[in-house]
Amino acid sequence: MATIKDVAKLAGVALSTASYALSGDSKVSPKTRAKVLEAARSLNYRKNGIAMDLKRSRTNTIALILTDLSGPYYSELIRSIQDVALAHGHDLIACSSMGERDSTAIKFLREKRVDGAVVLAHNIADDILLESAGERFPIIVMDRELTGDHLVNVLVDGEQGGYRATQYLIEAGHRSIAYISGPLNSYDNQQRYKGFQRAMHESGLSEKPKWRLSGGFVREGGYSATKMMIMQGELPTAVFYGNDEMAVGGMKAFEDHGISIPDEVSVIGFDDIELAGYANPPLTTVRQPKSEAGSLAGHLLFQMLDGESVDEQFKLGIELVERKSVRKREH
Amino acid sequence: MATIKDVAKLAGVALSTASYALSGDSKVSPKTRAKVLEAARSLNYRKNGIAMDLKRSRTNTIALILTDLSGPYYSELIRSIQDVALAHGHDLIACSSMGERDSTAIKFLREKRVDGAVVLAHNIADDILLESAGERFPIIVMDRELTGDHLVNVLVDGEQGGYRATQYLIEAGHRSIAYISGPLNSYDNQQRYKGFQRAMHESGLSEKPKWRLSGGFVREGGYSATKMMIMQGELPTAVFYGNDEMAVGGMKAFEDHGISIPDEVSVIGFDDIELAGYANPPLTTVRQPKSEAGSLAGHLLFQMLDGESVDEQFKLGIELVERKSVRKREH
DNA sequence: GTGAAAGCGCTAACAG
DNA sequence: CTGTTAGCGCTTTCAC
């Protein structure tokens, strides 16, 4: 691989002159520049980005840390972050946090291979984030409540979302409502559940312990949790699934048992994934402002990179998407 | 940010000793090592990955080049590549090729910020790929027919897929079949269409020019192409959509016009996206061996990185997924 | 305008 | 076992 040294030699100029010519600095004469460019072309010279980053102590790229590159992701969220990065002339790369303590994500965070990061990966420990963030390395955390030096928090108000969803069910006349939980240690799940509890409590309703099932936020889990509920004999009139994936699985379970939605059981989800509108019946759910959240995260990161100081936490509201999986009941 | 120099100074040892201690080299005494580690801890020292990469002239990471980080992607494919990378102790990062000639992807390719790449982005020009690939920088291209030095090709046989799909329709008794095309310049589309033509030709069938519509591989395009077909008055008994997205859009158009699938019109897609199984009716389609393709791509990349020579092109077969959108017809 | 030289932070001979 | 030293490839003062 040809280096700038080779180019300089072939062009018969000094190393620095070659560098200036290549980067288009105006102080090099057109004639010299042409000579250098020609030499570069003939050697098929490509600058080494790593050397440049090292010298500049800046990579001009930020990382998006995801649990798993293979998704499924909030593409709107990613797109909005990407747009902001591009607008600031920075590159965005995605890395996965799969693989525990030596995941790609952790390597990029600790070894400062980028200028900053947006984290969307619950499996990276708080302390790693806290110690990685620094003066020259801002981090935005989006999937949990965590703030610190050079580490700011952009959240969607899951508690409010859980509350709204539950309230919607209650307003539709439902009194016996089950919440199918995601992973118990998931921040998102906890928030949604908290909102559920608050709404139930305010209306003087209580949840049946036997309906406290968990589906791990995955479709299969929603399916089996629902199956278990069905086998237990007594059904609620409505079930609030901690996310849409589980709701889709749950609806399948009801269908398999000939239980009709929303006639016999109403269902509400959370997230508004693409599938939600295509489910049968289309799933009523809670939509998160993903683009706004991503955009905000991006902008904050660049403000921090520019040395501006920003608030340490932002919480965005949600919105209910009414479709056809909830039925109004008379009493 | 503390450097290894600071650590060495604080620990009262030479630079190299600190380096050895930090990397766990056995030749440093336990006592010295402890001293160094302690110094590193107290300074909150983190090695600079960029400096290391430069020194080593190797990054131990490979890039996955995608058109757009916000997907939608073949998550199975990505996952399988990821698994292979992990198994080889390498990191995988994803970069987007959005932004033309100065996209993140091109920067990573040209400036050799990684050790190799898997490309799944039709918007990166052939010549960039050709000139970026090199002795120490293998590239696997998966979305077009392109081979070259240190550049190998992993493809799924779209022609065969198009042939199978069409043949399936013909075997089910269909004689008037339309092909709704993706972008005319798309390699995938061309292959599928070629397969369609071959099957039609073999059975002595011909396509009606007025059914030659394009939907650009997007849902909305499938919708409007279908609408146009409906407005033209005469309907085929079966339509083969160049991909599932368009098929989903097309089914919506038929539904909007009260045309029942598969009773009045049969529909077949291509890809087997997640939605396909959830469409109404569930969509019969052609499934690509995504995991196998990804896995193969990953393995080939590492073989090349290890200096082994490999064939320059691989073409994988496809499989038909029978669901409920195609009806058998009697004659 | 152009060139010589000093590093960015790290690793890896090599010598002691 | 520990320390000295020479770079990896590039940018950027600072003289000329």
Side-chain angles (χ1 to χ4, degrees), chain A residues 10-29:
Chain A
L10 181 61
V13 299
L15 201 69
S16 56
T17 305
S19 173
Y20 287 133
L22 256 10
S23 62
D25 191 302
S26 65
K27 66 172 134 220
V28 53
S29 76

Side-chain angles (χ1 to χ4, degrees), chain A residues 278, chain B residues 178-182 192 214-227 238-255 261 265-273 275-286 323 325-326:
Chain A
Y278 290 86
Chain B
Y179 176 78
I180 303 292
S181 165
R192 293 165 197 188
S214 171
F217 271 168
V218 301
R219 196 176 304 172
E220 184 51 44
Y223 182 85
S224 42
T226 306
K227 206 142 185 175
V239 9
F240 173 14
Y241 288 88
N243 74 355
D244 287 351
E245 282 288 340
M246 295 195 299
V248 168
M251 283 166 74
K252 176 97 170 59
F254 283 126
E255 187 189 329
I261 298 167
V265 177
S266 288
V267 164
I268 196 165
F270 204 109
D271 277 351
D272 195 28
I273 59 175
L275 219 58
Y278 290 86
N280 188 13
L283 183 66
T284 292
T285 188
V286 175
R323 282 198 274 252
S325 62
V326 173

Side-chain angles (χ1 to χ4, degrees), chain A residues 48-101:
Chain A
N48 179 321
I50 297 178
M52 186 185 119
D53 288 348
L54 177 60
K55 180 60 193 170
R56 289 233 170 108
S57 316
R58 227 189 51 219
T59 64
N60 247 49
T61 111
I62 62 177
L64 173 63
I65 313 270
L66 303 170
T67 312
D68 177 358
L69 282 188
S70 55
Y73 284 104
Y74 298 137
S75 59
E76 294 171 58
L77 200 161
I78 296 180
R79 164 171 293 276
S80 58
I81 295 177
Q82 197 173 224
D83 288 346
V84 175
L86 239 49
H88 282 258
H90 277 239
D91 292 299
L92 178 70
I93 61 172
C95 10
S96 149
S97 62
M98 271 180 42
E100 296 306 301
R101 301 208 63 94

Side-chain angles (χ1 to χ4, degrees), chain B residues 124-189:
Chain B
I124 293 201
D126 285 0
D127 59 328
I128 295 197
L129 260 17
L130 253 9
E131 70 172 42
S132 295
E135 171 71 39
R136 313 271 299 150
F137 197 90
I139 297 181
I140 311 283
V141 183
M142 301 192 70
D143 65 341
R144 75 191 80 170
E145 205 136 352
L146 178 69
T147 57
D149 275 3
H150 309 285
L151 189 158
V152 333
N153 216 193
V154 171
L155 297 168
V156 165
D157 197 338
E159 200 275 345
Q160 188 210 341
Y163 180 80
R164 273 289 279 124
T166 310
Q167 201 183 36
Y168 176 81
L169 256 19
I170 295 171
E171 279 167 7
H174 295 276
R175 292 294 172 266
S176 66
I177 305 177
Y179 176 78
I180 303 292
S181 165
L184 269 10
N185 58 2
S186 143
Y187 172 74
D188 279 340
N189 184 66

